[in-house]
Amino acid sequence: MTQDSPSLTLAEIAARLGAVLQGDGERAVRGLATLRDAGPDQVAFLANRAYLKDLPGTRAAAVLLHPDHAGTCPTACLTLDNPYLGYAELSRLFDPLAGREAPGVHASAVVAEDARLGEGVAVGPQAVIEAGAELGDGVVVGPGCVVGADTRIGEGSRLHANVTVYHGVVIGARVILHSGCVIGADGFGFAHDGRRWHKIAQLGGVVIGDDVEVGSGSSIDRGALGDTVIGEDVKIDSQVQIAHNVQIGDHSALAGCVGIAGSTRVGRHCMLGGGVGLSGHLTICDGVQVTGMSLVTNSIHEPGVYSSGTGAMDNAQWRRNAVRFKQLDDIARRLHRLEKAGRGG
Amino acid sequence: MTQDSPSLTLAEIAARLGAVLQGDGERAVRGLATLRDAGPDQVAFLANRAYLKDLPGTRAAAVLLHPDHAGTCPTACLTLDNPYLGYAELSRLFDPLAGREAPGVHASAVVAEDARLGEGVAVGPQAVIEAGAELGDGVVVGPGCVVGADTRIGEGSRLHANVTVYHGVVIGARVILHSGCVIGADGFGFAHDGRRWHKIAQLGGVVIGDDVEVGSGSSIDRGALGDTVIGEDVKIDSQVQIAHNVQIGDHSALAGCVGIAGSTRVGRHCMLGGGVGLSGHLTICDGVQVTGMSLVTNSIHEPGVYSSGTGAMDNAQWRRNAVRFKQLDDIARRLHRLEKAGRGG
Amino acid sequence: MTQDSPSLTLAEIAARLGAVLQGDGERAVRGLATLRDAGPDQVAFLANRAYLKDLPGTRAAAVLLHPDHAGTCPTACLTLDNPYLGYAELSRLFDPLAGREAPGVHASAVVAEDARLGEGVAVGPQAVIEAGAELGDGVVVGPGCVVGADTRIGEGSRLHANVTVYHGVVIGARVILHSGCVIGADGFGFAHDGRRWHKIAQLGGVVIGDDVEVGSGSSIDRGALGDTVIGEDVKIDSQVQIAHNVQIGDHSALAGCVGIAGSTRVGRHCMLGGGVGLSGHLTICDGVQVTGMSLVTNSIHEPGVYSSGTGAMDNAQWRRNAVRFKQLDDIARRLHRLEKAGRGG
């Protein structure tokens, strides 16, 4: 990383984070690092007890931590109740990319005459903005992106390079779309006549709320009739597939490689682990967590943690057990017979 | 969605669909919706008994349904034997995108001198057509697409924005490729010398039949020696991975996140659910359905429905059961001993 | 495939491969094929006993095989100890693409003034090279690629069309990146304040070693603080997701659709089957193989083969068994009671 981070004093950091500083407020720092890696011009943080062992030996200029741990900190402290949240805020202060894009349309971009661009919009090289598209103030469209006809993107949103948004999509404010993600491709809809498939035109759209982030290479398909709807503050990781007419409630988070089949509704504040699959036409209530690679084939009506599958084991042991899985019903029936025989005797 | 749909009369719709109209043929409608959402200028459809409850209260101008349900329809009817197929056809009549592309090569596109373009071809902004490529009549290449050297694309096919097709690929007629999909990248082939990997050049190609659709972000790799072959009328959803030298039979459908390893042959009229994985070098016969997230490690020689895995349950219940999976062979052996002891006693 | 392959004599091939030729060294061949498909102007190979049955009937000009099988070969032989490795080398000799790119920057590409391009670099149409980027000698950047600011790419590396590399990424020599892959997008990091998510700026980078290959549509995310690190000679297939701060040891291979969660460290010479998922913060030692679609939730400290899941079976049989999985703990407890009763009686 050759990027230059901005320089900040500890007093400035304390003020921005609402943290209490114990130490020299004039000391300047230039970056963030872990307790173990931080040098004397960096701030470290302690947000997880597993790293408490690294606190005494840290060389950091200051450590962001909970007041309970200030006593054992060998250097300046920035104390606050939620140090992980403080770390998040501080990371953004040190982001060398923040505000880096110069506004303006690159000469090589192709922008339709009737597209409407807000103030301070930046459109990168080789990007394409189709007819009737509308980009709010401060929107950044990266190199190679394509924004389809009549699509609207809210203020402050950022499309990294090579993002594709189809026609008629509505995207909120401060949304971040990473490279290779595709918003608004046709959902997977076909009718069968007994011999072959007939395409069902996907006439709905996609509506994405404010403060959503979508990871690299993920797909959110447009609705068949109504819209696919992603709520506010939903966070979607890379390689995720969201089918037509899915609805995701506000503040939910989907880890990498999740797949959600058509018309399923996920509630608010849900968390889906990596590789989780949800069948179509389900309803998942608010506050549900599903652990990694689980398959959900029924609706869930109670908040809580849900799981399926079994973890990896030594292959020889696994072979012996996996073959028994196919005998499981037989085992249960034989056990029942023995129990009956025991009671009868 | 701000797109304008065309306006059609009920008589026109009946004629196009081969449906029998009961009602005012002069009435004009402008779109399609569900029974519940349709307004007085829209047509609805009933293709699934689960929605029969919505029929009496519909405000639709007309409903597409099976003759058996015409009696309970409160409004005009368009009856036909397969109303879902009728819905598919009607959706295409109302598609605002149909025929929207103006033919011609955008000034910013880069088309090799010796590429051959049929009549009515449209090449979008920032697209690249390499040497020797051949685009049939009416082909649409979206913005940012790259069509590799010597690749042939059949008439009426459409590449949405940012599709990549490598060199030497053969694509049939009326094929639809969605954004971010990649056709013809190298298959995953390496030889190991005991210390490190040596690349096997992937000298085969990809052949895609007529009427195929490939979803956003999916990959179909080129063959190592022979070709990877996708049959006619095969429908592939988003985020699918098809490895080198796979063959997919005509009319098969693959849902999102499916992965198929090298050289596996899938028959005709197969359906693979979301997230299904097929090991390499298998043969799957015609007419096989595999349910979502199943793992297939052996060839399948009988048509039918196949499954693996277990559905998600409450995490506490799951933990108790999953730990027992590792004891399953032991459980089976102990049960067998008890049975023997019982018979012996 | 309309590509022309170069013509080579059998003597030239023997010299390049270090193989022993039995037959006419002047005979010219133009390509490679399987034993079954090879014509009289092609070389075939035998690297797997399963294909020994095809040897007597081959029409190939010569066959690459182990000396043990030379006796039954009906045609000229090229014998060497590792014929699969010989096939790999020969495939590259016949690759019609090798060295095909003419050096130079296409007129439609956008290259920042301060980007540094080595000798013989080729930058394709519509590509974008951002400020401060550095391309080593002989690097090929395909059409539509975006190389971010301050990114460095080592000599001889090749980016196929529509690859995206973010800013501040370091890529080694002879690396191959396939279309649609994304290197350096933000990792999935957010802090929760009890109500909503706050983004953690991803300040680390990605470091990719020499001789790495990454398949189409795969994602390798940048680190939160330190870097995501891919070792030398690591081979990554299509549709793979590698999260922030993951480390992959040298010579490991990851098949399609693998997902690795944040901060997990995979050793050297590991092989992950298709669709394998690794939880976050794990350590997997050197020499581990994980079979397809397994879920790894604990660190692995012993080399060997690991597995989870169960293979697909007939759906009716599966339903009977899968329902018993939810009773497994109950079954184990009941069995234990019977055993105790038996011992007590």
Side-chain angles (χ1 to χ4, degrees), chain C residues 121 134-140 151-159 169-175 208-210:
Chain C
V121 163
E134 198 176 327
L135 309 181
D137 293 349
V139 164
V140 176
T151 279
R152 299 203 308 266
I153 302 181
E155 62 181 36
S157 289
R158 182 185 187 113
L159 281 61
V169 169
V170 177
I171 294 177
R174 300 172 303 279
V175 167
I208 294 182
D210 295 342

Side-chain angles (χ1 to χ4, degrees), chain B:
Chain B
M1 291 294 298
T2 59
Q3 314 276 323
D4 286 332
S5 286
S7 174
L8 292 168
T9 67
L10 295 182
E12 284 169 332
I13 291 172
R16 300 265 201 126
L17 269 52
V20 175
L21 172 66
Q22 299 176 19
D24 174 10
E26 298 304 303
R27 184 153 177 188
V29 291
R30 307 181 60 85
L32 251 174
T34 61
L35 283 169
R36 189 193 286 246
D37 292 341
D41 61 346
Q42 291 180 306
V43 178
F45 65 100
L46 174 66
N48 182 332
R49 283 170 175 280
Y51 296 98
L52 195 51
K53 64 181 193 307
D54 294 335
L55 183 57
T58 191
R59 295 164 55 236
V63 180
L64 211 64
L65 39 54
H66 190 271
D68 290 354
H69 296 120
T72 50
C73 182
T75 177
C77 296
L78 291 151
T79 62
L80 70 184
D81 283 346
N82 187 340
Y84 196 61
L85 192 60
Y87 156 51
E89 294 186 48
L90 193 52
S91 74
R92 297 197 303 274
L93 293 181
F94 281 122
D95 186 355
L97 283 192
R100 182 171 168 153
E101 299 305 322
V105 175
H106 191 274
S108 65
V110 175
V111 179
E113 270 186 41
D114 66 348
R116 280 160 292 171
L117 274 56
E119 290 196 21
V121 163
V123 177
Q126 321 287 15
V128 177
I129 313 290
E130 294 189 342
E134 198 177 326
L135 309 181
D137 294 349
V139 164
V140 176
V141 175
C145 289
V146 177
V147 176
D150 300 319
T151 279
R152 300 203 308 268
I153 301 181
E155 61 182 36
S157 288
R158 181 184 187 115
L159 281 60
H160 285 270
N162 284 333
V163 163
T164 309
V165 184
Y166 278 56
H167 61 280
V169 169
V170 177
I171 293 177
R174 299 171 304 278
V175 167
I176 299 172
L177 303 180
H178 282 285
S179 295
C181 79
V182 178
I183 312 296
D186 283 351
F188 196 60
F190 303 92
H192 204 272
D193 70 2
R195 292 187 315 114
R196 60 190 298 122
W197 298 104
H198 295 257
K199 182 172 176 68
I200 296 170
Q202 302 291 299
L203 303 175
V206 179
V207 176
I208 294 182
D210 295 341
D211 299 301
V212 167
E213 183 160 344
V214 181
S216 61
S218 289
S219 298
I220 303 176
D221 292 347
R222 69 190 314 111
L225 291 172
D227 294 324
T228 303
V229 179
I230 310 297
E232 261 186 61
D233 191 36
V234 170
K235 305 301 181 183
I236 297 173
D237 199 356
S238 302
Q239 304 285 342
V240 168
Q241 146 73 348
I242 297 182
H244 50 184
N245 297 101
V246 165
Q247 298 185 24
I248 310 282
D250 300 344
H251 313 297
S252 286
L254 283 60
C257 307
V258 160
I260 305 183
S263 299
T264 282
R265 303 170 67 149
V266 175
R268 295 158 47 96
H269 296 289
C270 289
M271 296 178 68
L272 305 183
V276 161
L278 307 186
S279 297
H281 298 275
L282 304 184
T283 300
I284 309 297
C285 71
D286 293 354
V288 167
Q289 292 182 34
V290 184
T291 61
M293 289 179 74
S294 296
L295 166 64
V296 180
T297 57
N298 292 298
S299 291
I300 297 179
H301 304 296
E302 292 291 327
V305 182
Y306 294 82
S307 303
S308 74
T310 53
M313 63 195 88
D314 170 78
N315 179 264
Q317 182 193 8
W318 171 78
R319 281 177 180 273
R320 284 194 301 271
N321 291 310
V323 72
R324 298 296 190 184
F325 182 81
K326 301 198 180 187
Q327 307 165 359
L328 204 46
D329 184 48
D330 182 57
I331 286 170
R333 289 172 189 278
R334 285 157 53 201
L335 177 62
H336 184 62
R337 276 200 294 274
L338 276 187
E339 287 172 328
K340 268 177 68 178
R343 280 197 296 275

Side-chain angles (χ1 to χ4, degrees), chain C residues 144-228:
Chain C
C145 289
V146 177
V147 176
D150 300 317
T151 279
R152 299 203 308 266
I153 302 181
E155 62 181 36
S157 289
R158 182 185 187 113
L159 281 61
H160 285 270
N162 283 333
V163 163
T164 309
V165 184
Y166 279 57
H167 61 280
V169 169
V170 177
I171 294 177
R174 300 172 303 279
V175 167
I176 299 173
L177 303 181
H178 282 286
S179 296
C181 79
V182 177
I183 312 297
D186 284 351
F188 196 60
F190 303 91
H192 204 272
D193 70 3
R195 292 186 316 114
R196 60 189 299 125
W197 298 105
H198 295 257
K199 181 171 177 70
I200 296 170
Q202 303 291 299
L203 303 175
V206 179
V207 176
I208 294 182
D210 295 342
D211 299 301
V212 167
E213 183 158 345
V214 181
S216 61
S218 289
S219 298
I220 303 176
D221 292 345
R222 69 191 312 112
L225 290 172
D227 294 325
T228 303

